[in-house]
Amino acid sequence: MSRTPAPLQPMRLLALLLAPLAALAADKPNVIFILADDLGAHDLGCFGSTFYETPNIDRLAKRGTRFTQAYAASPLCSPTRSSILVGQYPARTGITAPVCHINQIYLDKELTKEGPNSRLLVANSVSRLKPDYFTLAEALKEAGYATAHFGKWHLGHNLKPADHYEPKDGASIPTSRTRPTRPDQAAATSRPGSSSRTPRSPMTSA
């Protein structure tokens, strides 16, 4: 009995597409990804702004590639950042609100009612990007790139030395080969009224 092959994970597919570049180390393009909160579509000189002066970014754009038909997955910072890193919609990762700066660790996404008469289900956002995900940084590393993150992360911070939710500035984003496994890494906090559950692998969750 033949089996239908499982679909490729988005970032795994990207890794396969980038793999040929590993053999062309001298010819690999540099990849600089700048994510700015609240940046308008035409706030840069290279995208038509006559008010803001952005000469350095304009020079990068002139020497590189401009993408003019791209959209953010969310108008909020954390959901957008998670979608870029793992190639999935915020509803899939469970990060649907900018709450990844809080100390409480919520790893299970869920829908709740605001009240007994509410007809609307509210998504309670998880507060960390699970280290189980295969990220854009890991796809680039498999293609022979050295990766680093600088500046705002906002996908969950470390509370103790064993945590690997966030990279340090200038350091490579943690990969699955260096991360401790769950659930020893951190205890998930249950929301009031919910049961305490062991976090599932994000690749098997709905």
Side-chain angles (χ1 to χ4, degrees):
M1 182 176 181
S2 61
R3 280 187 164 182
T4 302
L8 285 173
Q9 298 164 4
M11 288 303 165
R12 290 288 182 189
L13 177 60
L14 179 60
L16 291 176
L17 296 176
L18 292 173
L21 295 177
L24 303 172
D27 298 325
K28 285 190 302 183
N30 292 318
V31 179
I32 302 175
F33 192 106
I34 302 174
L35 180 63
D37 291 343
D38 304 315
L39 180 69
H42 303 288
D43 285 352
L44 303 176
C46 56
F47 282 96
S49 175
T50 57
F51 182 79
Y52 299 109
E53 297 179 356
T54 55
N56 294 326
I57 294 179
D58 295 346
R59 282 195 293 271
L60 284 173
K62 187 176 181 179
R63 297 169 56 189
T65 302
R66 291 195 313 126
F67 298 94
T68 60
Q69 298 295 325
Y71 297 88
S74 170
L76 302 172
C77 54
S78 297
T80 296
R81 292 166 192 273
S82 68
S83 67
I84 290 169
L85 271 180
V86 304
Q88 297 185 23
Y89 287 114
R92 179 73 67 176
T93 65
I95 299 179
T96 54
V99 298
C100 292
H101 58 280
I102 65 175
N103 288 336
Q104 292 83 358
I105 300 176
Y106 299 132
L107 298 176
D108 289 318
K109 57 184 179 181
E110 59 185 6
L111 296 174
T112 60
K113 285 188 175 182
E114 288 188 323
N117 299 321
S118 175
R119 302 176 68 180
L120 177 68
L121 292 177
V122 178
N124 283 333
S125 177
V126 303
S127 62
R128 299 289 188 277
L129 179 66
K130 295 180 181 180
D132 309 282
Y133 283 109
F134 184 77
T135 66
L136 174 61
E138 290 173 291
L140 289 169
K141 287 175 77 70
E142 287 193 1
Y145 280 87
T147 63
H149 169 268
F150 301 89
K152 181 179 178 180
W153 177 244
H154 209 195
L155 289 172
H157 56 273
N158 300 328
L159 299 177
K160 55 182 182 292
D163 286 348
H164 288 271
Y165 293 113
E166 63 179 334
K168 297 300 181 183
D169 282 354
S172 294
I173 292 178
T175 69
S176 57
R177 288 163 292 285
T178 59
R179 300 185 278 235
T181 57
R182 297 189 177 280
D184 304 324
Q185 178 176 328
T189 302
S190 298
R191 294 184 178 86
S194 66
S195 60
S196 178
R197 292 169 287 178
T198 301
R200 295 181 297 171
S201 167
M203 298 309 176
T204 60
S205 59

